[in-house]
Amino acid sequence: MNAQQDPVEIVEVAPRDGFQAVEQFIPTHIKISVVEALIKAKYRRLEVGAFVSPKAIPQMADTAKIHAVLATKDSSSPVRLSALVPNAIGGQKALDAGVSDLVFVLSASESHNHSNVRRTVAESQGELEKIVAAGRQVDGFQLRVNIATVFDCPYEGRTPEKAVLDIIEHTLEMDIPVEFGLCDTTGRGFPDHVAALCGGLIDQHKSETMIGWAFHGHDTYGLGIANALSAYNAGIRIFDAAAAGLGGCPFAPGASGNTASEDLVFTFENMGIST
């Protein structure tokens, strides 16, 4: 590859996906200082928390406070601060807190969706409809739909492509701009599978002007960078990653940390691909 290759955008998810795996509560001021340091390191999109039950994930209980502080900070260039929401209650709490950049999560597999958010896939889709209805009333509303277990489920094995397609088609029926995050939740996706699925989805929806595509990888078996490159070659230009490879889904047995941001930056930059 050379310097003429399309640049990529890296979404830093350590403050959410990374921190949620830490059992001891991290003081709010430390979380804020970490986000500020990442912004100084020139990350322009960061997922800084989640509006979830504090009983389920206590680490995310201060997300509204973190957003309130960061929203008042001046930056030399625009910074997008998003938050993950698993249901309509979380979505409304995020909107009420002034967070308009939402990341909704559901799984392509029924088993993982029930383990992760205690709902069927159909019920999660109903929650998304409520969030979209509320978001339409908010200036600057932006939506990412993270589809977990796109490639593999820790309970069911390889995920049927139709399950992924059904979620995408149902979302598109809502007629709203959306970015789909294709998530290798377990890190058991392989480069050929990642390339084929990502490329196929992009090709099938190339006429849709309101769709964006992102890849969210884990490095469980050391394939995080290889899979990211396969996704890039398939046409994806947005990548989630976490500083130091922090994180891992607490509801996906065996899944380890995210692909490390610094490894992704190092790889792309040395291939002549701007980050």
Side-chain angles (χ1 to χ4, degrees):
M1 294 185 182
N2 55 54
Q4 301 305 311
Q5 293 290 324
D6 293 339
V8 300
E9 184 173 35
I10 295 178
V11 183
E12 176 56 61
V13 301
R16 195 279 301 174
D17 205 352
F19 288 176
Q20 73 176 6
V22 179
E23 292 186 11
Q24 183 176 348
F25 188 78
I26 303 170
T28 302
H29 74 277
I30 292 181
K31 292 175 182 171
I32 293 171
S33 69
V34 169
V35 175
E36 290 175 336
L38 290 166
I39 292 173
K40 288 180 181 178
K42 299 186 180 179
Y43 287 99
R44 290 297 170 256
R45 286 184 65 178
L46 302 97
E47 192 176 279
V48 301
F51 287 83
V52 296
S53 167
K55 291 182 180 179
I57 307 181
Q59 194 67 258
M60 298 289 103
D62 55 356
T63 295
K65 185 180 296 184
I66 292 170
H67 267 272
V69 172
L70 292 171
T72 65
K73 301 285 186 177
D74 291 329
S75 176
S76 58
S77 60
V79 177
R80 286 182 59 180
L81 302 176
S82 63
L84 181 138
V85 298
N87 51 46
I89 292 175
Q92 191 60 59
K93 287 182 177 179
L95 294 173
D96 290 344
V99 183
S100 59
D101 197 337
L102 302 188
V103 180
F104 179 79
V105 61
L106 78 168
S107 304
S109 73
E110 292 286 352
S111 298
H112 186 265
N113 204 62
H114 187 270
S115 175
N116 196 30
V117 297
R118 303 294 187 267
R119 286 174 172 79
T120 66
V121 173
E123 287 170 340
S124 283
Q125 290 173 322
E127 295 292 294
L128 176 57
E129 291 174 4
K130 295 176 184 177
I131 291 172
V132 169
R136 291 186 193 277
Q137 313 304 315
V138 175
D139 290 338
F141 177 62
Q142 297 184 84
L143 178 66
R144 155 88 81 95
V145 174
N146 270 0
I147 309 175
T149 63
V150 161
F151 306 96
D152 170 85
C153 170
Y155 310 108
E156 301 176 18
R158 188 176 175 117
T159 301
E161 184 175 331
K162 184 179 185 302
V164 181
L165 285 169
D166 287 347
I167 291 173
I168 291 172
E169 295 305 323
H170 182 270
T171 305
L172 294 179
E173 290 174 1
M174 301 179 201
D175 194 30
I176 189 169
V178 60
E179 180 178 282
F180 289 106
L182 305 176
C183 304
D184 181 19
T185 306
T186 62
R188 293 204 296 241
F190 288 88
D192 59 337
H193 188 187
V194 171
L197 183 57
C198 293
L201 291 173
I202 292 172
D203 185 62
Q204 289 178 54
H205 297 90
K206 58 187 176 184
S207 63
E208 299 282 351
T209 60
M210 297 196 298
I211 298 180
W213 301 97
F215 179 75
H216 178 107
H218 286 243
D219 203 35
T220 310
Y221 296 99
L223 292 170
I225 295 297
N227 284 335
L229 292 176
S230 293
Y232 180 88
N233 289 331
I236 287 182
R237 298 293 181 262
I238 302 170
F239 296 87
D240 289 356
L246 293 174
C249 178
F251 305 105
S256 65
N258 292 277
T259 303
S261 302
E262 58 271 26
D263 291 348
L264 207 55
V265 170
F266 177 83
T267 301
F268 278 128
E269 291 286 347
N270 280 280
M271 294 176 71
I273 301 169
S274 173
T275 57

